[in-house]
Amino acid sequence: EIIPIFGTDKKMIHSLSQPSLINEKNFILNIKGLKTEKGRILRANKFLRGELEKRAIPILQKYALRIKTKDYQLRIKTMRSLWGSCSPKNVITLNLALIFCPDFVFRYVIIHEMSHTVERNHSNRFWNLLESLDPDYELAEKWIKSNGKKILCYLF
């Protein structure tokens, strides 16, 4: 099976001996000890959640410094329709499906949600802040509108 990971098609390989990893060409999932498809899905989701978190943290830190946001938390979960959210307590939640999106979309969603730590709504001030942080954000929004529904189905 071929799946996109951060915008690059990867061949998914189940392995009994190699550790789970993502390299230039493959997504290798260690399935040792797993007897069911549900177990494989759970292990894949756990591994991908960790990969998404590793990639998200430096981006969050960079933009938190730029907009002077210090107190925030990151959560990653599977969501059926949202790509991300930011709670009133600055809990930024990212959809695990972002792992299947190109980097510019992933970065846009993070910047969008980080911007909500300063501007809580979609006012003109919010969009001005977002544009100052990501001048090409509209490209990511177009990509999401064109491709989002088919990407969300990878997790269900």
Side-chain angles (χ1 to χ4, degrees):
E1 183 178 0
I2 304 295
I3 58 173
I5 297 186
F6 292 117
T8 304
D9 286 344
K10 308 284 184 188
K11 182 178 180 183
M12 184 163 187
I13 299 170
H14 291 163
S15 174
L16 294 171
S17 58
Q18 288 184 279
S20 296
L21 63 88
I22 298 169
N23 62 28
E24 290 179 16
K25 296 180 181 180
N26 303 312
F27 166 31
I28 299 169
L29 179 66
N30 183 294
I31 59 166
K32 186 175 182 176
L34 300 176
K35 298 181 193 261
T36 66
E37 184 65 23
K38 184 177 180 179
R40 291 182 186 126
I41 290 169
L42 290 172
R43 184 168 291 168
N45 282 351
K46 182 178 180 181
F47 175 76
L48 292 173
R49 182 175 278 109
E51 293 297 301
L52 192 73
E53 184 175 345
K54 279 192 264 183
R55 202 111 177 223
I57 288 172
I59 299 168
L60 284 163
Q61 290 171 339
K62 175 184 176 180
Y63 289 97
L65 282 173
R66 285 189 64 188
I67 62 175
K68 297 174 178 58
T69 295
K70 293 180 183 172
D71 297 322
Y72 65 89
Q73 293 179 316
L74 173 63
R75 290 194 182 140
I76 297 169
K77 67 181 199 175
T78 302
M79 298 185 275
R80 293 194 180 275
S81 60
L82 294 176
W83 291 99
S85 66
C86 180
S87 77
K89 293 184 178 182
N90 291 350
V91 176
I92 294 173
T93 304
L94 300 177
N95 191 333
L96 181 56
L98 285 167
I99 194 112
F100 304 118
C101 297
D103 276 335
F104 75 97
V105 173
F106 175 62
R107 189 172 58 83
Y108 159 73
V109 172
I110 291 173
I111 295 167
H112 183 110
E113 299 312 331
M114 183 59 77
S115 296
H116 280 307
T117 66
V118 175
E119 294 293 334
R120 298 284 175 198
N121 54 38
H122 289 118
S123 66
N124 285 338
R125 287 189 308 198
F126 169 84
W127 292 108
N128 290 337
L129 173 61
L130 178 64
E131 187 170 23
S132 75
L133 300 171
D134 186 3
D136 297 323
Y137 76 91
E138 290 175 330
L139 293 173
E141 288 190 336
K142 285 180 185 177
W143 190 94
I144 288 170
K145 285 180 186 169
S146 297
N147 301 287
K149 287 184 182 177
K150 65 183 172 189
I151 295 299
L152 288 172
C153 75
Y154 278 113
L155 296 176
F156 304 109

